[in-house]
């Protein structure tokens, strides 16, 4: 379906970021797609589908009025209190218009649970400020009519341009220690898989809670070492082992009720292979 065939107008908040930008690139040839950036940059200033927006200073209504979206994708970072107010305004807009919101949440909404991986209907429970913040926004959006919100819980998202891969490469270049967490069992995904999944959810008009992690689980320390071994063959890489508890802890979002089709699922090995391309 080409842009002109679609009625959707899509607004991506945080479209200059790692995941937001990947989503923008995936959707822009199919839909009328707009995006926001915070830090001024020529490529965005010159693109009239991009608007500058700072959640701490600007009114999100101005962005909504300028773009009139039928789908809002929230891929923002920034001050939590300011983001909470912005999402209250987004909820009001969604309720009053023919519009729905897709919110990028995180496995951290379960970071206080440790003994099992988490599924879509499990009660959220977090021990971190970030997790608490994500839960607050999720609960706000879950009060909207069901068709109007999709909550997308992401595990660690990797990709050639991901901050985590860049950070690993920087540690290798600087010969500084890479932190690994031997007790954490997690799942992973890539930006390219997340963008395909979101595109599918838009086409199929999906709503509800989605767990977009790999179908299998990995130990944090082993997986980071696998990635590092793909980047460098040099010996003597420095690791700092960080033990947060004595027992294994799970930080994993697995699908059970809202499964996507097989071709949109991913394994940790496929993620690793994609990083090696
Ligand atoms: N990456 C992951 O592994 C992961 C995992 C789970 C969930 N998530 C969620 O996915 C979303 C996107 O994450 P990401 O990794 O793509 O983040 P990112 O690369 O840091 O991008 C964040 C985006 O938000 C914008 N932004 C930052 N501060 C802002 C402010 N004060 N006002 C307005 N915009 C602001 C950035 O604009 P500038 O580029 O101009 O600063 C950028 O467009 C976040 O909500 C995050 O919690 C990410």
């Amino acid at each position: 379906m080409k842009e002109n065939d679609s009625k959707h107008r899509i607004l991506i908040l945080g479209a200059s970021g790692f995941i937001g930008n990947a989503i923008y690139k995936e959707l822009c040839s199919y839909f009328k797609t707009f995006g926001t950036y915070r830090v001024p940059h020529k490529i965005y200033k010159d693109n009239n589908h991009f608007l500058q927006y700072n959640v701490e200073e600007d009114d999100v209504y101005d962005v909504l009025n300028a773009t009139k979206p039928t789908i809002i994708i929230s891929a923002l970072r920034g001050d939590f209190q300011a983001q909470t107010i912005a999402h209250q305004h987004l909820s009001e807009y969604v309720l009053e218009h023919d519009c729905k919101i897709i919110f990028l949440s995180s496995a951290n909404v379960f970071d206080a649970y440790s003994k099992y991986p988490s599924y879509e209907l499990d009660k959220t429970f977090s021990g971190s400020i970030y997790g608490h913040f994500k839960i607050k926004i999720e609960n706000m959006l879950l009060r909207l009519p069901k068709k109007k919100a999709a909550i997308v819980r992401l595990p660690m998202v990797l990709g050639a341009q991901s901050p985590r891969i860049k950070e690993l490469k920087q540690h290798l270049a600087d010969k500084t220690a890479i932190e690994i967490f031997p007790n954490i069992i997690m799942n992973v995904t890539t930006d390219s898989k997340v963008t395909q999944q979101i595109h599918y959810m838009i086409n199929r008009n999906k709503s509800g809670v989605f767990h977009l992690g790999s179908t299998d689980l990995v130990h944090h320390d082993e997986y980071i070492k696998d990635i590092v071994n793909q980047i460098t063959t040099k010996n003597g890489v420095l690791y700092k082992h960080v033990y947060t508890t004595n027992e294994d802890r799970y930080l994993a979002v697995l699908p059970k009720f809202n499964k996507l089709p097989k071709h949109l699922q991913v394994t940790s090995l496929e993620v690793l292979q994609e990083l090696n391309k």
Side-chain angles (χ1 to χ4, degrees):
M1 189 165 49
K2 281 282 161 201
E3 182 183 305
N4 293 340
D5 302 335
S6 165
K7 63 177 171 48
H8 282 309
R9 294 169 67 86
I10 298 183
L11 168 64
I12 302 167
L13 296 167
S16 55
F18 164 53
I19 303 174
N21 201 249
I23 298 173
Y24 181 86
K25 286 180 178 151
E26 166 78 18
L27 301 180
C28 69
S29 35
Y30 299 94
F31 304 99
K32 209 162 188 67
T33 309
F34 301 90
T36 69
Y37 62 97
R38 179 193 48 150
V39 179
H41 200 292
K42 194 173 175 339
I43 51 164
Y44 301 127
K45 277 186 176 169
D46 293 347
N47 182 339
N48 62 9
H49 281 218
F50 273 78
L51 291 87
Q52 192 171 14
Y53 167 66
N54 185 333
V55 73
E56 284 138 52
E57 294 168 7
D58 304 321
D59 188 341
V60 78
Y61 264 108
D62 292 340
V63 180
L64 294 169
N65 287 334
T67 54
K68 301 196 172 20
T70 57
I71 295 181
I72 301 165
I73 301 175
S74 166
L76 277 181
R77 289 198 195 263
D79 178 77
F80 292 161
Q81 210 179 339
Q83 276 202 68
T84 304
I85 294 168
H87 283 83
Q88 276 161 0
H89 293 162
L90 293 172
S91 294
E92 284 163 22
Y93 179 90
V94 165
L95 199 57
E96 287 161 10
H97 295 79
D98 179 15
C99 183
K100 113 186 219 193
I101 182 163
I102 300 175
F103 175 64
L104 301 196
S105 188
S106 161
N108 282 81
V109 298
F110 297 111
D111 64 14
Y113 286 122
S114 43
K115 291 192 172 150
Y116 310 99
S118 305
Y119 298 96
E120 299 95 321
L121 302 183
D122 291 352
K123 189 165 166 32
T124 51
F125 187 27
S126 169
S128 69
I129 296 172
Y130 174 63
H132 266 273
F133 155 70
K134 289 287 189 188
I135 291 174
K136 195 170 175 181
I137 307 282
E138 280 196 5
N139 288 342
M140 188 194 296
L141 300 180
L142 288 169
R143 284 196 288 272
L144 288 167
K146 185 171 178 285
K147 288 262 162 253
K148 285 195 168 268
I151 310 272
V152 167
R153 295 193 185 125
L154 300 172
M156 184 187 284
V157 184
L158 296 161
Q161 294 308 315
S162 68
R164 266 169 237 259
I165 297 294
K166 287 183 181 168
E167 193 186 306
L168 288 181
K169 288 182 176 165
Q170 195 60 51
H171 279 300
L172 293 172
D174 297 346
K175 297 192 170 53
T176 47
I178 295 168
E179 282 196 344
I180 49 175
F181 297 79
N183 288 339
I184 291 187
I185 301 173
M186 59 178 191
N187 55 357
V188 289
T189 189
T190 61
D191 55 333
S192 64
K193 192 52 80 175
V194 172
T195 57
Q196 289 165 25
Q197 291 166 326
I198 288 183
H199 197 161
Y200 172 87
M201 288 166 59
I202 291 170
N203 282 346
R204 300 295 168 105
N205 201 16
K206 296 278 182 193
S207 57
V209 178
F210 292 83
H211 280 190
L212 300 187
S214 56
T215 48
D216 60 325
L217 306 180
V218 292
H219 273 274
H220 184 280
D221 57 340
E222 289 166 5
Y223 201 72
I224 297 293
K225 283 183 180 172
D226 286 344
I227 296 173
V228 167
N229 291 338
Q230 284 192 159
I231 302 174
T232 179
T233 51
K234 283 188 190 152
N235 291 325
V237 175
L238 296 173
Y239 291 103
K240 179 180 171 192
H241 294 74
V242 184
Y243 292 89
T244 48
T245 50
N246 289 331
E247 292 163 13
D248 279 347
R249 270 185 66 202
Y250 286 85
L251 196 60
V253 275
L254 287 172
K256 189 190 277 182
F257 305 100
N258 266 340
K259 281 191 180 165
L260 296 179
K262 267 257 167 329
H263 73 279
L264 290 173
Q265 294 173 13
V266 70
T267 65
S268 62
L269 184 63
E270 286 164 347
V271 171
L272 209 52
Q273 286 164 344
E274 190 173 322
L275 293 175
N276 206 18
K277 277 180 191 161

